[in-house]
Amino acid sequence: MKEVRLRFAPSPTGYLHIGGLRTALYNYLYAKHNNGKFILRIEDTDQTRFVEGAIESLINSLHWAGVKYDEGVFVEDGKIVEKGDYGPYIQSKRLDIYQKYVKELIEKGHAYYCFCSKERLDAVREEQKIKGLVPKYDGLCRNVSIEEAKERIANGEEYVVRLKLPHDYDIKFHDLVRGDIVINTNDIDDQVLLKSDGFPTYHLAVVIDDHLMEITHIVRGEEWLPSTPKHVYLYEALGWEKPTYVHLPTVLNKDRKKLSKRHGDVSVEDFRDKGYLPEALINYLALVGWSPEDNQEIFTMDELIEKFSFERVSKTGGIFDKDKLNWVNGHYIRSSSVERITKLAIPYLKEAGLIDDKFAEEKYYWLELLVKTVQEGLDTIAEIPEKVAFIFKEHIDIVEEDALEVIKGEQVPAVLNAIKEELNKVEELDEEYAKGFMKLVQKATGVKGKNLFMPARVALTGSTHGPEFVNVLVLLGKENIIKRIEHVEEKYL
Ligand code: GLU
């Protein structure tokens, strides 16, 4: 059997869209499920959209997400390199290849030179619109002979090359998600294949490259579906075997609109910066448009590879549900080591101004305890500073109503006083001592249960609920606890 080869072929427009990552992921999963190859090709033939550093950022995002490819464009030591036997994998380096096939198409009568100016094309389109017709090229240059065309080119006239579609011809292909598709050429434009700057259009380059790179399955977003008949016709014109097509439903937001930059986060980097773990994003994205046979929701990459199939990809848009993503992310945060989450949390804590480099280094274990204290309840890493900010405060102001109520209790002065006294008996409050600490306060005051713990918690955190109290004691330490209690005594008792 032929080796299965799939490719992800993004245009380097500056960032990797979350929908693009899902496309890459499905390509990857299918390739690996079939012991095939996955290839990264860069489609940069639209030079007007060139963005500095875009290839690197794309590759970094794929790398971060753990979507690995076997061939194509890589970044090594900060440099772009290519690996594989089918290169170059960057389209702007393949211009001579496209020229060769353009010539062949012209010679075989499947393409023609077109000299129409932009003004003429605009005028044609305007007229068609007025007449209520679908705007398309009117075919004026279809009949320019090759000899005449060559002469005009020699005279310096600007030109493009267009695909010469036969009239009234049914182009047929099968899509694994959408089934059989038939489009008549009367409904399709004579697509430009080669632009006046000598660069191919996407349509030409994609077909030539997919063929030469021996791509067996083309898996891409459904926005490319209208282009596919033109591609299929090119395969036929060049006498090449067609690949298998799979068009994926668009990733939509809850309002069933395309996820766009205007509506918030769409780039993979945005999600990384918001504190999503790569395996959580991948796990969740796999489920946007695909569903397993059972109700499994948490998958490792290997499980996804094993279970993934196009039969279970839906035709309709996949809804991107942030709450569900948060739930999946929370799951992965909870099952990660404290060390991993702490290391990820440090940049956020620095950014929030809670710690600096020196602090992160000298008090690393304290930070681990800090993170461990809130790890259970997190949706994202970015939430950590907000959740731990109370530990860093100079003193605690009590604002919550139920907390103010608690601190009015008649036993409170005795409890707070006993906390200070018990603390003064030791050098520092280590974890062992902290564990038995409230028992000592209980013994000293005779107060127990809620009446003991609530005021202590409120005085030290400002709230009646919150993380593991023993951890709070250790994190604050003797000096801070005393300071906080004195502040509460002064202000609220
Ligand atoms: N270069 C196209 C893009 O940016 C690739 C489409 C395809 O996969 O054929 O999405």
Side-chain angles (χ1 to χ4, degrees):
M1 232 180 73
K2 210 157 105 181
E3 181 182 54
V4 164
R5 291 172 57 81
L6 285 88
R7 73 349 182 237
F8 178 51
S11 299
T13 51
Y15 63 92
L16 179 56
H17 190 281
I18 202 82
L21 178 60
R22 199 222 22 201
T23 300
L25 174 66
Y26 285 13
N27 272 284
Y28 168 79
L29 295 176
Y30 189 82
K32 295 298 130 186
H33 182 91
N34 292 286
N35 294 317
K37 292 271 164 22
F38 179 46
I39 295 133
L40 177 70
R41 183 173 72 226
I42 298 296
E43 303 209 325
D44 61 343
T45 57
D46 189 351
Q47 293 291 298
T48 59
R49 291 169 75 195
F50 177 79
V51 178
E52 187 73 41
I55 298 181
E56 291 87 337
S57 106
L58 238 160
I59 292 174
N60 286 341
S61 290
L62 286 174
H63 180 77
W64 174 79
V67 176
K68 299 190 192 100
Y69 43 93
D70 308 286
E71 276 174 41
V73 186
F74 296 79
V75 174
E76 274 177 9
D77 302 326
K79 275 202 216 79
I80 291 175
V81 295
E82 296 182 47
K83 289 183 197 170
D85 298 334
Y86 296 79
Y89 293 92
I90 300 178
Q91 287 187 327
S92 58
K93 292 189 182 169
R94 299 172 63 82
L95 299 184
D96 48 337
I97 301 176
Y98 307 127
Q99 291 285 352
K100 177 179 150 217
Y101 289 102
V102 166
K103 246 193 215 139
E104 184 181 328
L105 285 165
I106 293 172
E107 273 158 21
K108 287 185 173 162
H110 295 305
Y112 58 96
Y113 296 104
C114 174
F115 299 92
C116 291
S117 63
K118 189 179 171 299
E119 290 71 37
R120 174 167 193 278
L121 295 175
D122 287 346
V124 169
R125 215 165 289 142
E126 234 4 83
E127 208 183 307
Q128 287 167 332
K129 259 199 228 151
I130 291 166
K131 287 186 186 151
L133 302 167
V134 183
K136 67 186 240 189
Y137 181 58
D138 65 354
L140 180 73
C141 292
R142 279 173 82 108
N143 301 320
V144 176
S145 69
I146 295 192
E147 292 72 39
E148 184 191 332
K150 288 207 169 137
E151 227 179 277
R152 288 172 75 170
I153 293 167
N155 287 337
E157 255 190 79
E158 242 191 33
Y159 67 94
V160 298
V161 175
R162 287 183 185 271
L163 178 62
K164 194 174 201 170
L165 287 172
H167 292 300
D168 194 20
Y169 171 75
D170 280 341
I171 300 174
K172 298 177 187 156
F173 64 96
H174 183 77
D175 182 287
L176 285 190
V177 171
R178 314 199 140 242
D180 288 325
I181 296 177
V182 184
I183 305 276
N184 191 277
T185 50
N186 288 354
D187 299 324
I188 316 176
D189 217 348
D190 278 355
Q191 178 64 50
V192 172
L193 300 177
L194 196 71
K195 295 179 277 189
S196 55
D197 62 1
F199 274 71
T201 54
Y202 155 71
H203 307 281
L204 177 72
V206 79
V207 168
I208 293 176
D209 290 349
D210 285 336
H211 172 72
L212 295 180
M213 294 178 187
E214 296 185 34
I215 302 302
T216 55
H217 295 70
I218 297 199
V219 181
R220 61 187 171 204
E222 67 185 343
E223 67 272 24
W224 300 104
L225 193 59
S227 305
T228 307
K230 299 170 194 170
H231 303 176
V232 169
Y233 186 76
L234 276 170
Y235 279 95
E236 291 179 9
L238 288 160
W240 292 342
E241 191 188 331
K242 285 195 289 270
T244 300
Y245 286 100
V246 185
H247 287 91
L248 305 174
T250 306
V251 179
L252 303 172
N253 64 21
K254 273 192 167 164
D255 307 327
R256 305 208 127 264
K257 298 232 170 64
K258 233 177 128 165
L259 281 190
S260 80
K261 264 257 185 252
R262 267 177 302 132
H263 297 117
D265 303 323
V266 289
S267 80
V268 173
E269 280 170 26
D270 288 336
F271 284 89
R272 187 197 58 200
D273 295 347
K274 285 273 153 72
Y276 290 93
L277 300 180
E279 66 271 39
L281 191 59
I282 285 293
N283 185 151
Y284 177 64
L285 270 183
L287 298 168
V288 181
W290 169 81
S291 55
E293 271 170 52
D294 50 22
N295 294 328
Q296 186 172 345
E297 283 179 310
I298 298 296
F299 295 88
T300 62
M301 192 68 107
D302 284 341
E303 284 173 314
L304 287 173
I305 290 171
E306 189 195 316
K307 306 212 164 153
F308 185 78
S309 75
F310 290 125
E311 280 81 65
R312 300 195 61 84
V313 169
S314 80
K315 274 199 196 47
T316 51
I319 306 287
F320 191 87
D321 176 354
K322 195 93 170 257
D323 296 334
K324 184 80 187 281
L325 169 64
N326 285 348
W327 176 81
V328 174
N329 202 50
H331 164 85
Y332 283 100
I333 291 178
R334 281 188 288 285
S335 45
S336 292
S337 70
V338 181
E339 190 186 353
R340 178 185 185 202
I341 303 303
T342 305
K343 291 207 166 127
L344 288 171
I346 287 172
Y348 293 88
L349 293 167
K350 281 203 278 191
E351 173 79 28
L354 295 174
I355 64 168
D356 56 19
D357 283 326
K358 190 163 161 259
F359 190 107
E361 207 179 295
E362 289 175 0
K363 298 191 74 176
Y364 176 77
Y365 290 102
W366 183 89
L367 281 179
E368 272 201 357
L369 179 65
L370 180 74
V371 167
K372 190 171 147 199
T373 303
V374 295
Q375 189 170 357
E376 276 296 303
L378 294 174
D379 281 343
T380 67
I381 306 289
E383 286 168 5
I384 294 177
E386 186 200 317
K387 299 229 170 184
V388 301
F390 75 93
I391 292 285
F392 292 88
K393 287 209 172 114
E394 188 59 30
H395 51 246
I396 292 295
D397 285 316
I398 306 168
V399 285
E400 291 169 20
E401 239 167 77
D402 57 343
L404 283 166
E405 201 54 44
V406 163
I407 217 70
K408 281 191 207 140
E410 56 173 341
Q411 86 290 16
V412 172
V415 169
L416 297 187
N417 197 47
I419 292 177
K420 286 192 298 183
E421 279 183 1
E422 289 304 322
L423 277 175
N424 281 326
K425 291 180 187 164
V426 286
E427 273 293 303
E428 192 37 278
L429 186 67
D430 63 19
E431 209 174 329
E432 257 332 287
Y433 195 68
K435 274 186 192 152
F437 184 73
M438 291 308 284
K439 259 257 157 344
L440 298 175
V441 179
Q442 181 184 320
K443 265 197 203 135
T445 57
V447 181
K448 36 181 190 197
K450 254 178 123 178
N451 288 341
L452 173 71
F453 277 95
M454 279 301 180
R457 186 180 277 283
V458 167
L460 297 185
T461 72
S463 184
T464 54
H465 51 270
E468 179 62 46
F469 194 60
V470 173
N471 289 5
V472 172
L473 292 175
V474 179
L475 287 166
L476 286 173
K478 177 177 164 178
E479 295 301 318
N480 284 319
I481 297 175
I482 292 174
K483 255 201 259 163
R484 284 185 182 201
I485 288 186
E486 282 171 351
H487 176 79
V488 169
E489 285 173 333
E490 263 167 44
K491 210 167 158 190
Y492 301 95
L493 298 191

